[in-house]
């Protein structure tokens, strides 16, 4: 064999021309396998690796401590990096169009690492746009990592900047209202301050924030990247310089991704474009039907499309949650099966009620992650769960008629 299979980045040695997203999803991170006589990526579960060259090991550890670059040659220890996880990181970076990606044990661990990197440089102030995922909002608001946040709308980003601003954070489409942000305009307003875009809902299939000026792209990889509801992970796609700092934080704090999770994520990426496009087509159809339904006050569906639909019901949202039979009433999203939840009770419960409502997260809002089921079966379940119209034509019908699917 002509390649070192123990090197976390051995597969980086194969350089390919720019390929279509669907092709990258299948082949990125796997380009070296055929040359090694392999078809499926191997899973390396080792926590440590033997070495008879302790002087060489010392030099490699020194290099990592200085730059955060992954050590050349065989792996050293599971907390520095893992070959299976590295394959997923390589693939995700290629899909997002960045130099590198760094994977973590969860999306919140990934966001925490970014904040720790900037905070270690004395840049603890964050400018953020609501809504964000509820736990991201809480992490910033509570100052758990010593950060201080200024909340603003996209147009106010430039005015909210301070000398100690270390990060601008947006989520687009946003969780759970699906509000969209002009990423290029926000990136321009950031100047030299890194813009972090949470791209969990869109995925690189629908949007590549780095192409619009974002330096950091965050994913809760638990969602669409894994795609099957069986892996917990987070990842940041970025330039190599920032990746080095993130690896150092990951090494120091221990928020590493398990190799089996890395394997499942790499497998999930191979079907990501097919899953997202199929689910998005169904979601768009459901959004249209909901917008025409007198039992619905308002529908939120993003211009770029996607597999997420949010809608405000005229009746009791808790009754809808309790009545679904095919759709699973559960937190999370991005799985092959459809999920529905009440953000004010679960995903955004930790956000102050006034802040939550001010960001458009009403108490009657439901968020649905559309899966790969047949659209007629999903509509049948929603139809019976919504029940009879509340009070006939009434106030809700008037509100509904005035609002097409909200963008």
């Amino acid at each position: 064999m002509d390649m070192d299979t123990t090197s976390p980045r051995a597969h980086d040695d194969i350089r390919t021309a720019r390929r279509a997203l669907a092709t990258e999803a299948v082949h990125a991170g796997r380009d070296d396998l055929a040359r090694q006589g392999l078809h499926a990526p191997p899973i390396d579960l080792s926590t440590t690796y033997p070495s008879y060259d302790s002087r060489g090991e010392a030099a490699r550890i020194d290099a990592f401590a200085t730059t955060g670059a992954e050590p050349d040659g065989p792996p050293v220890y599971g907390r520095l990096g893992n070959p299976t996880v590295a394959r997923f990181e390589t693939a995700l970076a290629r899909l997002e169009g960045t130099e590198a990606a760094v994977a973590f044990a969860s999306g919140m661990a990934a966001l925490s690492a970014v904040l720790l990197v900037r905070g270690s440089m004395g840049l603890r102030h964050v400018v953020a746009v609501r809504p964000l995922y509820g736990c991201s909002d809480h992490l910033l608001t509570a100052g758990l990592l010593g950060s201080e946040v200024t909340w603003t709308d996209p147009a106010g980003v430039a005015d909210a900047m301070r000398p100690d601003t270390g990060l601008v954070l947006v989520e687009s489409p946003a969780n759970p209202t699906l509000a969209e942000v002009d990423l290029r305009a926000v990136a321009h307003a950031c100047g030299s301050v890194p813009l972090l875009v949470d791209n969990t809902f869109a995925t690189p299939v629908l949007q590549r924030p780095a192409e619009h000026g974002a330096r950091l792209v965050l994913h809760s990889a638990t969602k669409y990247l894994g795609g099957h509801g069986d892996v917990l992970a987070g990842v940041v796609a970025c330039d190599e310089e920032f990746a080095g700092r993130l690896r150092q934080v990951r090494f120091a704090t221990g928020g590493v991704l398990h190799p089996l999770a890395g394997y499942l994520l790499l497998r999930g990426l191979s079907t990501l474009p097919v899953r997202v496009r199929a689910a998005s087509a169904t979601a768009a159809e459901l959004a249209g039907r909901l917008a025409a339904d007198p039992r619905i006050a308002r529908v939120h569906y993003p211009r770029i499309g996607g597999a997420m639909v949010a809608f405000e019901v005229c009746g009791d949202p808790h009754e809808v949650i309790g009545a679904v039979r095919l759709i699973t009433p559960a937190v999370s999203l991005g799985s092959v099966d459809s999920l529905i939840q009440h953000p004010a009770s679960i995903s955004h419960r930790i956000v102050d009620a006034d802040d939550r409502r001010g960001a458009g997260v009403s108490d009657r809002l439901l968020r649905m992650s559309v899966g790969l089921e047949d659209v007629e079966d999903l509509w049948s379940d929603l139809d019976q769960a919504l029940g009879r119209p509340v009070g006939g034509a009434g106030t809700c019908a008037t509100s509904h008629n005035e609002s097409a699917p909200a963008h």
Side-chain angles (χ1 to χ4, degrees):
M1 297 183 186
D2 58 357
M3 294 190 69
D4 177 10
T5 62
T6 63
S7 172
R9 299 290 171 183
H11 45 291
D12 274 346
D13 293 338
I14 295 181
R15 303 298 177 190
T16 57
R18 179 71 177 269
R19 302 181 293 198
L21 182 79
T23 304
E24 289 285 24
V26 172
H27 290 279
R30 305 170 179 83
D31 287 308
D32 63 314
L33 293 179
R35 295 181 178 221
Q36 299 179 40
L38 299 173
H39 184 235
I43 306 176
D44 187 334
L45 295 174
S46 296
T47 58
T48 191
Y49 299 85
S51 173
Y52 293 95
D53 180 9
S54 57
R55 292 185 183 88
E57 291 286 271
R60 295 165 69 207
I61 295 296
D62 287 346
F64 177 83
T66 302
T67 67
E70 290 196 298
D72 293 329
V76 177
Y77 183 58
R79 199 149 38 85
L80 273 82
N82 172 273
T84 307
V85 172
R87 289 182 179 277
F88 162 66
E89 292 171 331
T90 295
L92 193 276
R94 290 190 67 89
L95 290 178
E96 284 289 6
T98 60
E99 293 177 345
V102 183
F104 294 85
S106 70
M108 292 308 302
L111 177 57
S112 296
V114 172
L115 294 174
L116 287 171
V117 166
R118 299 305 283 169
S120 70
M121 302 170 69
L123 302 170
R124 298 183 180 277
H125 179 243
V126 178
V127 174
V129 175
R130 280 189 172 121
L132 297 174
Y133 168 53
C135 287
S136 299
D137 188 310
H138 176 67
L139 180 64
L140 295 174
T141 303
L144 295 175
L145 298 179
S147 56
E148 179 185 348
V149 61
T150 297
W151 297 101
T152 185
D153 58 28
V157 168
D159 290 338
M161 304 290 273
R162 301 187 335 202
D164 63 338
T165 301
L167 188 71
V168 176
L169 174 58
V170 302
E171 183 174 5
S172 183
N175 185 353
T177 66
L178 306 179
E180 295 173 276
V181 174
D182 184 338
L183 299 181
R184 194 174 299 279
V186 173
H188 178 73
C190 290
S192 61
V193 175
L195 170 63
L196 183 151
V197 176
D198 187 331
N199 203 36
T200 299
F201 277 21
T203 80
V205 177
L206 301 177
Q207 172 179 273
R208 289 157 57 109
E211 295 178 349
H212 300 285
R215 186 178 179 188
L216 307 166
V217 183
L218 174 71
H219 286 273
S220 172
T222 306
K223 313 306 194 293
Y224 288 104
L225 304 189
H228 294 76
D230 55 7
V231 59
L232 196 68
V235 63
V236 179
C238 55
D239 56 76
E240 178 57 36
E241 179 185 0
F242 206 100
R245 299 297 299 272
L246 289 173
R247 294 186 197 109
Q248 290 176 319
V249 169
R250 183 177 63 182
F251 173 74
T253 60
V256 296
L257 184 66
H258 192 275
L260 181 57
Y263 173 85
L264 290 172
L265 288 168
L266 185 64
R267 186 175 68 171
L269 288 184
S270 64
T271 61
L272 179 66
V274 175
R275 288 187 287 106
V276 169
R277 288 167 181 152
S280 296
T282 300
E285 173 65 21
L286 292 176
R289 296 188 188 188
L290 288 167
D293 196 299
R295 297 167 294 182
I296 304 301
R298 193 178 187 195
V299 175
H300 305 256
Y301 189 70
R303 288 185 178 88
I304 65 170
M308 301 297 299
V309 180
F311 53 96
E312 298 169 39
V313 297
C314 299
D316 186 344
H318 301 286
E319 291 185 3
V320 178
I321 292 292
V324 291
R325 294 294 177 263
L326 175 65
I327 302 165
T328 302
V331 73
S332 199
L333 56 110
S335 186
V336 291
D337 60 316
S338 296
L339 308 175
I340 193 169
Q341 65 111 346
H342 181 238
S345 295
I346 306 180
S347 63
H348 289 70
R349 187 66 180 179
I350 202 168
V351 180
D352 177 81
D354 289 339
D355 291 336
R356 187 171 66 231
R357 295 180 188 119
V361 185
S362 79
D363 292 342
R364 292 185 180 274
L365 183 73
L366 293 174
R367 189 195 75 188
M368 182 175 174
S369 170
V370 178
L372 300 181
E373 301 94 339
D374 185 85
V375 65
E376 297 302 335
D377 290 328
L378 291 174
W379 178 249
S380 177
D381 195 32
L382 279 175
D383 183 42
Q384 64 83 26
L386 287 168
R388 296 180 179 274
V390 178
T395 304
C396 188
T398 301
S399 171
H400 156 264
N401 289 335
E402 290 176 349
S403 61
H407 300 294

